[in-house]
Amino acid sequence: EVQLVESGGGLVQPGRSLKLSCAASGFTFSNYYMAWVRQAPKKGLEWVATISTSGSRTYYPDSVKGRFTISRDNAKSSLYLQMNSLKSEDTATYYCARPTRDGTYYYFDYWGQGVMVTVSS
Amino acid sequence: DTVLTQSPALAVSPGERVTISCRASESVSTGMHWYQQKPGQQPKLLIYGASNLESGVPARFSGSGSGTDFTLTIDPVEADDTATYFCQQSWNDPYTFGAGTKLELK
């Protein structure tokens, strides 16, 4: 059974940093791209970052580019999200998600339960 | 960015057929996917590639469309289908999601 378990969330002041982790199990982690998706309270979903199987390629939307860094440790089947210079608008539940490819597009077939990040003074 | 527009809410009675629409601001070919999210839970994949049913998802769910107009159909609707439904495109960068359609049962 595929499982994605996030950790590391909490309350952080604006401008500070936080690192999220995601422990994966039930599949060959090193064979899959991985991603982070967030959801602000009572809002929609926003893709945050994607990383290739080896970690050599990373992708971000403009809203977090230069502030967030996605990384992975295939030996530990773990995914990370380093978040720097946090802003109040980064307050959200952060989901670890597995993108799966079918033809020319990816979709998120497994999601973790999410971890809450609150940015406030 | 590709904007996905969904109607905010729908209310239907159990046993009825419901269609949830998603319109893209530019073509996404068939790179459209649908997720169900119940309160306090993570999203769950229902449909990928516009019309492909994810394994384990009841056949009451179906998807259609290509280009800019897409539909998720639930037939018949059951009480357990109360949730918010999101569309998501992965044809254009960056990947984007619709704001969600909240489905309520009468």
Side-chain angles (χ1 to χ4, degrees):
Chain A
E1 177 193 6
V2 171
Q3 286 198 318
L4 301 170
V5 180
E6 302 93 337
S7 61
L11 174 64
V12 61
Q13 293 179 330
R16 303 298 291 265
S17 301
L18 196 66
K19 186 173 185 177
L20 304 182
S21 300
C22 171
S25 61
F27 65 103
T28 304
F29 182 74
S30 58
N31 286 352
Y32 287 85
Y33 277 44
M34 292 297 297
W36 290 94
V37 178
R38 68 184 179 184
Q39 185 171 33
K42 307 241 183 257
K43 298 289 186 182
L45 298 157
E46 179 186 19
W47 164 68
V48 170
T50 297
I51 189 167
S52 63
T53 52
S54 67
S56 61
R57 288 168 291 175
T58 57
Y59 310 88
Y60 308 92
D62 289 343
S63 58
V64 306
K65 195 176 294 182
R67 298 189 301 122
F68 288 12
T69 302
I70 188 172
S71 62
R72 66 191 296 160
D73 184 335
N74 286 341
K76 295 182 178 180
S77 295
S78 292
L79 178 72
Y80 306 101
L81 184 67
Q82 176 68 46
M83 303 183 292
N84 298 332
S85 304
L86 282 162
K87 307 174 182 180
S88 58
E89 51 263 43
D90 295 318
T91 294
T93 296
Y94 285 74
Y95 295 101
C96 171
R98 188 182 84 169
T100 288
R101 182 171 182 169
D102 185 354
T104 57
Y105 49 72
Y106 286 89
Y107 52 91
F108 301 109
D109 62 348
Y110 286 96
W111 300 65
Q113 83 288 350
V115 63
M116 185 68 198
V117 173
T118 302
V119 184
S120 175
S121 54
Chain B
D1 297 0
T2 304
V3 176
L4 303 181
T5 302
Q6 298 183 246
S7 51
L10 289 171
V12 298
S13 299
E16 291 186 345
R17 178 176 182 268
V18 64
T19 59
I20 298 171
S21 65
C22 178
R23 173 163 288 177
S25 61
E26 58 187 319
S27 177
V28 300
S29 185
T30 55
M32 182 66 78
H33 324 294
W34 291 93
Y35 303 86
Q36 175 194 66
Q37 187 178 35
K38 297 181 179 181
Q41 296 186 16
Q42 68 268 54
K44 173 188 174 183
L45 176 68
L46 299 175
I47 301 288
Y48 63 93
S51 61
N52 300 290
L53 188 68
E54 171 68 352
S55 176
V57 174
R60 303 184 292 104
F61 293 88
S62 63
S64 64
S66 66
T68 60
D69 291 293
F70 298 86
T71 299
L72 173 70
T73 300
I74 312 172
D75 187 14
V77 172
E78 296 183 357
D80 187 52
D81 299 333
T82 297
T84 299
Y85 294 84
F86 293 94
C87 56
Q88 178 244 328
Q89 68 82 22
S90 59
W91 188 253
N92 302 313
D93 288 327
Y95 297 168
T96 50
F97 291 83
T101 296
K102 188 173 184 178
L103 180 65
E104 296 181 339
L105 279 289
K106 295 178 184 175

